[in-house]
Amino acid sequence: MRNHTVVTEYILLGIPETEGLETVLFSLFSSLYLCTVLGNMLILLAIISSSRLHTPMYFFLANLSVFDLGFSSTTAPKMLSYLSGLSQGISFQGCATQLFFYHFLGCTECFLYTVMAYDRFVAICFPLRYMVIMNHRVCTILATGTWMGGCIHAIILTYLTFQLSYCGSNKVSYYFCDIPAILPLACGDTSLAQRVGFTNVGLLSLICFFLILVSYTRIGIAISKIRSAEGRKRAFSTCSAHVTAILCAYGPVIIIYLQPNPSALLGAIIQILNNHVTPMLNPLIYSLRNQDVKSALRNAFPKRSFTLRKN
């Protein structure tokens, strides 16, 4: 039998093929992270402070903002730390925690977009019964179910990944702890974790994407039956932001899976888009064309200068 040293710390090697670009990347990702935090905090402030926004649609949007804050914070702080010249090391427990929250929030995102698509389906196809169907109890159950479902999913994947023995190299060829980067470092048989991980992640994403397509197919049929152009425009505007957000979330993932042999750099770019760019864009997508959100933000930040001058 050979002696092995049990791994207690991992070394994150960073984004592939970006050696020497640490300063540029630090400036870029710190700006993205700051915009993400500021934008989503403003969305939350607008929804909480305005009673007009206490509706099912904005309730789920608030959940999305909480998700965006958590998802970007799972990988950004550690990445910014080592890009600034600090240690690239992460403890075994820290790596497991990062992997858990990444998959917890990633799965929650899929469920949440599906629930938001169902909410728009009910609003467009059953407008007179919308508030009856999407009552407070139903919204609470749906929101709780998305977060609990993501948690169960992440517990399974984290357990299967870290119940294996890690006694070889501790160098992770990526910028955060994810299953494809961690499993090659295991000493034991990783086939079960690989099969369950691929099936779990792939199957859940496909099911959610299929349900979203079904919802928007029904919505498209319902909009086509509206006779007035103004009615069609109003119905479409309520869905356009959500469709844009879904394309931003699923588009990069679809692109990477369509590549027969994707490079490590391309894979990293796709995950960066998903982890850092999409959470930053969501507040812009949902606020730029939304007069209710703009009005709530104006009311939350009144022009105090005029009041001071009058006094």
Side-chain angles (χ1 to χ4, degrees):
M1 294 180 65
R2 292 183 298 171
N3 291 325
H4 291 293
T5 303
V6 177
V7 173
T8 59
E9 184 184 52
Y10 291 102
I11 305 297
L12 300 174
L13 299 183
I15 303 169
E17 303 176 33
T18 59
E19 292 80 4
L21 299 174
E22 287 80 7
T23 304
V24 175
L25 292 176
F26 177 80
S27 301
L28 173 63
F29 290 124
S30 58
S31 301
L32 287 175
Y33 185 55
L34 182 63
C35 291
T36 298
V37 173
L38 181 61
N40 284 287
M41 290 297 290
L42 287 174
I43 291 290
L44 283 172
L45 176 64
I47 294 172
I48 292 170
S49 63
S50 175
S51 59
R52 291 182 59 189
L53 302 185
H54 294 175
T55 63
M57 183 179 78
Y58 292 106
F59 171 71
F60 293 122
L61 179 56
N63 275 265
L64 183 64
S65 291
V66 173
F67 156 79
D68 285 334
L69 287 170
F71 197 51
S72 58
S73 298
T74 300
T75 56
K78 182 60 186 175
M79 180 174 63
L80 292 174
S81 174
Y82 66 71
L83 285 175
S84 66
L86 299 178
S87 172
Q88 292 179 269
I90 183 172
S91 67
F92 185 89
Q93 293 81 4
C95 188
T97 302
Q98 192 177 60
L99 187 144
F100 168 80
F101 277 102
Y102 180 76
H103 285 277
F104 165 43
L105 294 167
C107 183
T108 302
E109 176 188 35
C110 288
F111 291 153
L112 192 54
Y113 279 132
T114 307
V115 168
M116 292 174 77
Y118 174 72
D119 172 69
R120 293 298 83 208
F121 160 71
V122 176
I124 299 299
C125 298
F126 305 100
L128 299 180
R129 297 172 55 200
Y130 174 60
M131 294 306 297
V132 176
I133 297 173
M134 299 299 292
N135 57 59
H136 179 75
R137 179 172 173 271
V138 170
C139 290
T140 303
I141 291 172
L142 289 173
T144 305
T146 62
W147 292 96
M148 289 299 296
C151 185
I152 293 169
H153 165 84
I155 288 172
I156 294 171
L157 294 184
T158 306
Y159 171 75
L160 289 175
T161 302
F162 287 97
Q163 54 89 27
L164 297 167
S165 298
Y166 291 87
C167 51
S169 173
N170 69 337
K171 294 183 178 179
V172 179
S173 302
Y174 212 45
Y175 70 97
F176 73 99
C177 292
D178 196 11
I179 294 174
I182 295 295
L183 283 183
L185 306 179
C187 300
D189 181 17
T190 63
S191 58
L192 177 61
Q194 286 177 329
R195 285 198 302 270
V196 174
F198 182 79
T199 304
N200 221 6
V201 174
L203 190 61
L204 282 175
S205 299
L206 284 175
I207 290 173
C208 290
F209 191 63
F210 173 74
L211 292 174
I212 291 170
L213 283 178
V214 170
S215 294
Y216 274 99
T217 301
R218 295 287 303 275
I219 288 171
I221 294 171
I223 291 176
S224 67
K225 293 180 180 179
I226 298 176
R227 294 183 178 181
S228 68
E230 183 63 28
R232 285 196 299 271
K233 182 181 178 181
R234 188 166 60 251
F236 179 76
S237 67
T238 62
C239 301
S240 58
H242 186 231
V243 172
T244 306
I246 290 171
L247 291 175
C248 289
Y250 278 94
V253 178
I254 292 171
I255 291 171
I256 193 67
Y257 278 108
L258 288 177
Q259 299 289 326
N261 295 302
S263 67
L265 178 59
L266 179 60
I269 291 172
I270 295 301
Q271 281 203 305
I272 287 168
L273 288 173
N274 223 13
N275 298 359
H276 304 288
V277 178
T278 300
M280 182 204 67
L281 290 177
N282 278 341
L284 297 175
I285 292 169
Y286 283 99
S287 63
L288 284 179
R289 296 180 59 190
N290 192 314
Q291 295 301 321
D292 291 335
V293 173
K294 290 180 181 178
S295 176
L297 286 174
R298 281 194 294 268
N299 293 333
F301 296 100
K303 296 181 179 179
R304 298 180 182 274
S305 58
F306 293 103
T307 304
L308 291 173
R309 285 178 184 175
K310 289 179 181 179
N311 292 336

